[in-house]
Amino acid sequence: MTAAGESAQGRDDSGGPVLVLNSGSSSVKFAVLAPASGERMLAGMAEKIGTPGTELRIRRHPDHVVTEGLPDGSYRAVISRILDHLAEAGFGTAGDGARRPGQAHLAGVGHRVVHGGERFTAPVLVDDEVIAAIRAFSHLAPLHNPANLAGIEAVRSARPDLPQVAVFDTAFHQTMPPRAFRYAVPEEWYARYGVRRYGFHGISYRFVSERAAALLGRPLAELRLVIAHLGNGCSVAAVRDGMSVDTTMGLTPLEGLVMGTRSGDVDPGVFGFLADRAGLTIDQLTTTLNTASGLLGLSGVGNDMRTVEVKAAEGNERARLALEVFVHRLAKAIAGMVVGLGRLDALVFTAGIGENSALVRGQVLARLGFLGLAEDAEANARHGRDTRGRISPDGPVVAMVVPTDEELMIARDTAHLTNGGSTLGDATALGK
Ligand code: ADP
């Protein structure tokens, strides 16, 4: 589906399919991928984890979907069941004797782990010490890291023979200089509590920068990119010579752009103000900023950009305003990212909104003419599909659409490390 070979940077990713697991607080998404070709051999999702109503859906072929209820909704039971299904489908492990002719053992399991703190700058093979470190960063991502760890531990207990790799959302941004990652707060907050900008969506940024370089036919090591990852969560990153030098998300994924339900930047003074005026607690305020703000809070019509676009076109004033604020803040953030680059070679749009909303892309480009950006309306309407991603007219500064594939990035990292690649080698290779 993607030209994986083009951007695999010469790494030997052969060595069997990889199970990619994204264990969230209430769901587990999984897929079996061939890391070299990007082919999805099987995919599925377990929802309502931790409840007696846990439901597992597995798609083996496009037309063969299995759905079943699981009486025990614990991560351990759910993941054990997923591994049994995989073994039945021929994706076993050396230990379970489930290999069938013509099908390969799993090379390993790759996990998305949200927070790697300042410790993890690249993907790592999981061992006791790595598990302890991920646990130690759980206070930085209380909704995510414990679920990610539960996934790792469940695989360990079901198939202790299977190598596992942790791929971090924060790791790519560890190359940011202090001027970009430090907040202007007392030193002790940083030294003692780790209060700094970490940044997220790093797996996507890594994939998209490699792919953008391949599409542009230029070495990543010489490119200055601003990448806008616009999904349910939205952020922008400045990528200089393949390394992140700045990004909009911070200590948590709440900072920065307007998102589906998250506010992005607000004056931190709002906490004291509303605690006083409305009697709201810190918990209530944090929840509201995370779940009832953003496009949803502004528009009142929903958190989905498609709905906001339709309602705005119908003349709904709040939806129109939501779109305007979204685009204004996004354009402002993109321009801000150029400060860390010194020069802009390409602006890259990715993820749900970035890949599909010609309207948002067009409006952003219209505001950024002073950076040398412009829209090729026809190419933009076709999402750059016939133009190697390009949605701008010929010129030195390119605007482009590059579909992201975080699962494939995790699968490649897993294949690389389980094939004997070193973490250090990864950090170097991936940073270039
Ligand atoms: P996640 O961050 O959960 O992976 P996605 O990357 O799938 O999410 O992005 C979800 C967002 O993409 C939603 O806001 C959705 O409205 C938006 N989106 C998807 N398709 C379109 C479209 N055709 N036009 C505008 N927005 C779209």
Side-chain angles (χ1 to χ4, degrees):
M1 72 187 298
T2 50
E6 267 185 78
S7 51
Q9 301 196 338
R11 288 188 262 161
D12 178 9
D13 292 342
S14 59
V18 168
L19 169 63
V20 175
L21 273 177
N22 188 352
S23 310
S25 51
S26 65
S27 72
V28 173
K29 287 187 202 140
F30 58 95
V32 175
L33 282 87
S37 67
E39 184 198 346
R40 257 83 175 160
M41 293 141 155
L42 185 152
M45 183 161 170
E47 287 180 285
K48 300 189 204 147
I49 296 277
T51 74
T54 302
E55 209 175 87
L56 177 63
R57 256 171 83 85
I58 300 190
R59 186 171 37 79
R60 279 204 198 168
H61 311 289
D63 54 347
H64 182 57
V65 179
V66 180
T67 307
E68 64 183 34
L70 300 179
D72 179 353
S74 67
Y75 282 97
R76 196 172 274 227
V78 168
I79 284 179
S80 164
R81 189 74 193 117
I82 292 171
L83 288 165
D84 288 345
H85 271 286
L86 297 198
E88 255 175 55
F91 304 112
T93 64
D96 66 13
R99 187 172 192 164
R100 289 180 189 170
Q103 290 192 300
H105 284 150
L106 289 178
V109 183
H111 296 264
R112 157 183 256 132
V113 179
V114 167
H115 220 302
E118 286 189 326
R119 153 88 192 266
F120 294 108
T121 58
V124 283
L125 276 168
V126 171
D127 60 16
D128 288 341
E129 206 258 319
V130 166
I131 289 179
I134 296 172
R135 183 166 293 119
F137 299 131
S138 282
H139 64 284
L140 289 167
L143 294 179
H144 297 102
N145 272 29
N148 305 153
L149 265 182
I152 290 173
E153 288 180 323
V155 172
R156 244 194 174 193
S157 97
R159 300 281 192 283
D161 56 305
L162 205 51
Q164 301 196 69
V165 170
V167 186
F168 300 90
D169 253 326
T170 50
F172 182 60
H173 298 297
Q174 282 297 308
T175 46
M176 284 190 294
R179 64 178 173 274
F181 76 70
R182 287 292 298 273
Y183 293 122
V185 294
E187 171 76 17
E188 194 197 2
W189 289 15
Y190 171 58
R192 193 154 170 198
Y193 303 110
V195 173
R196 53 159 285 176
R197 178 184 312 288
Y198 290 95
F200 298 87
H201 293 141
I203 304 168
S204 173
Y205 287 129
R206 206 147 49 84
F207 181 88
V208 169
S209 7
E210 289 184 8
R211 186 83 189 113
L215 287 167
L216 290 167
R218 293 174 62 179
L220 184 54
E222 290 166 18
L223 276 178
R224 313 237 175 137
L225 307 171
V226 172
I227 306 178
H229 177 109
L230 310 173
N232 280 310
C234 299
S235 73
V236 180
V239 179
R240 182 176 180 145
D241 308 339
M243 282 176 274
S244 171
V245 292
D246 206 351
T247 192
T248 52
M249 280 183 171
L251 172 71
T252 74
L254 183 55
E255 192 181 347
L257 303 178
V258 174
M259 312 181 208
T261 60
R262 284 175 241 163
S263 61
D265 292 342
V266 290
D267 179 346
V270 78
F271 275 83
F273 180 79
L274 282 182
D276 187 36
R277 302 283 298 178
L280 295 174
T281 63
I282 288 184
D283 263 5
Q284 288 170 323
L285 287 162
T286 306
T287 303
T288 305
L289 291 174
N290 271 296
T291 63
S293 301
L295 292 175
L296 174 64
L298 274 170
S299 74
V301 302
N303 65 316
D304 191 305
M305 183 54 94
R306 281 167 290 201
T307 314
V308 174
E309 285 185 11
V310 168
K311 294 289 175 191
E314 287 170 6
N316 181 306
E317 280 305 324
R318 283 181 62 188
R320 236 187 332 222
L321 177 69
L323 193 58
E324 246 184 68
V325 176
F326 182 91
V327 167
H328 174 72
R329 289 264 294 274
L330 173 55
K332 209 162 86 166
I334 290 166
M337 286 293 127
V338 180
V339 173
L341 297 176
R343 179 190 84 223
L344 180 64
D345 294 322
L347 167 62
V348 187
F349 292 94
T350 194
I353 300 171
E355 291 167 29
N356 297 298
S357 176
L359 181 78
V360 166
R361 291 191 305 257
Q363 291 194 3
V364 167
L365 291 174
R367 282 163 172 76
L368 294 174
F370 62 90
L371 290 176
L373 285 160
E375 177 194 11
D376 174 332
E378 202 176 312
N380 188 31
R382 306 234 349 106
H383 310 293
R385 279 193 198 114
D386 312 319
T387 44
R388 293 179 72 78
R390 192 176 182 117
I391 55 168
S392 55
D394 277 346
V397 188
V398 178
M400 62 197 299
V401 177
V402 176
T404 192
D405 194 341
E406 291 154 290
E407 284 178 346
L408 179 54
M409 193 78 244
I410 296 171
R412 282 195 204 145
D413 289 338
T414 304
H416 177 59
L417 287 178
T418 56
N419 273 348
S422 72
T423 300
L424 190 65
D426 241 3
T428 314
L430 299 175
K432 296 284 159 192

